[in-house]
Amino acid sequence: MYAITGITGQVGGTLARTLLAAGREVRAVVRDAARGEPWVRQGCEPALAELTDVPALIRAFSGAEGVFILLPPAFDPKPGFPAARRIIAAVREALEMAGPKKVVALSTIGADADRPNLLNQLRIMEEQFSTLGLPVTFLRAAWFMENARWDIDAARAGAITSYLQPASRAIAMVSTADVGRTAAELLQEDWKGRRVVQLEGPQRTSPDDIAAAFARLLGREVRVDTVPRAEWEGIFRAQGMENPLPRMQMVDGFNAGWIDFAHGGRESRKGRVGIEAALRAMLDDQAAA
């Protein structure tokens, strides 16, 4: 039995479907029964638990061959990441008490960066989970290609905006489909102690590459407009963010190169989904909606 948090999202959903296709039993850890019902129909066992509810999490994780942990995304955290720290502490306590055979936790490129930025919350998770007396794998995933989903309408109009710059600079990106499949593989492996697995796509990708892929798929010219650094805070605050600095620092890290995989990703696992295939799937999803 594999207990999966975040099963209603893209990564967790792919992970669960991969395990089910392999004949594995899956426990869907969800916050409410309605969201878990589609997974129950696919053969999953439901487990209701908030990620801050230690007793419920202990029940969800108990007896599991492996547990997959995915922290809720937090793009506008309060200073010091208090919400993430509460979740991390609760999940860690539940894992320690439940004692599953192994844990795979979704982390991120840049989790090892010590400069202040949005990804420090995953660094905190790795530090806390590393003290567990359990086999733990941290799956450090690259920048999600699916972030380009927000650019679809703009691409149809002929121009996408980018905070990543210069637009010609390629960085490590990965499809959520590859992340989910890799998490399923890792959960079915055996290892001892703590390990880190880096994951990126088959080739590094730039904003220019994204625009060119959109152009091929949409049959029209698509350009990239980079957003000047001086305008970021005003834009983010206008979007409703109260504490945009960590997000800005994260993008600074990608642009300056201090957020990257060790050795330029030479030791990373490589996914099989490239940017054009990822964008095609997003466009198909939009058309089907």
Side-chain angles (χ1 to χ4, degrees), residues 161-176:
T161 58
S162 177
Y163 297 92
L164 295 172
Q165 47 200 263
S168 59
R169 183 174 182 272
I171 67 168
M173 295 191 185
V174 69
S175 167
T176 55

Side-chain angles (χ1 to χ4, degrees), residues 2-9 12-13 16 26-42 44-61 67-70 72 91:
Y2 295 90
I4 310 300
T5 65
I7 197 169
T8 59
V26 173
R27 182 178 294 157
V29 184
V30 292
R31 290 182 297 172
D32 63 79
R35 299 200 70 186
E37 183 56 34
W39 291 101
V40 173
R41 291 196 295 269
Q42 295 180 59
C44 295
E45 173 188 317
L48 298 180
E50 295 279 353
L51 291 184
T52 52
D53 185 339
V54 174
L57 289 172
I58 292 172
R59 292 191 293 271
F61 299 159
V67 173
F68 177 72
I69 300 298
L70 189 158
V91 172

Side-chain angles (χ1 to χ4, degrees), residues 123-158:
R123 179 187 179 97
I124 295 166
M125 180 195 72
E126 288 195 12
E127 291 172 346
Q128 293 300 309
F129 287 7
S130 291
T131 63
L132 287 165
L134 300 168
V136 179
T137 292
F138 297 111
L139 176 55
R140 290 184 184 168
W143 180 287
F144 282 178
M145 294 176 183
E146 283 72 15
N147 289 330
R149 189 182 303 275
W150 304 106
D151 298 320
I152 291 176
D153 291 341
R156 292 188 188 279

Side-chain angles (χ1 to χ4, degrees), residues 153-159 211-223:
D153 291 341
R156 292 188 188 279
F214 268 130
R216 289 190 295 271
L217 293 167
L218 297 174
R220 64 153 303 154
E221 181 179 348
V222 180
R223 72 174 188 274

Side-chain angles (χ1 to χ4, degrees), residues 74-77 81 116-119 143 150 163 229 232 235-237 239 241 243-254 259:
F75 299 106
D76 188 20
F81 309 109
N117 76 95
L118 186 66
L119 305 180
W143 180 287
W150 304 106
Y163 297 92
R229 176 66 167 75
W232 293 5
I235 292 171
F236 292 158
R237 289 192 182 279
Q239 292 171 346
M241 294 188 70
N243 183 32
L245 181 59
R247 181 181 176 187
M248 295 164 61
Q249 292 169 325
M250 176 190 71
V251 181
D252 285 339
F254 279 103
I259 291 182

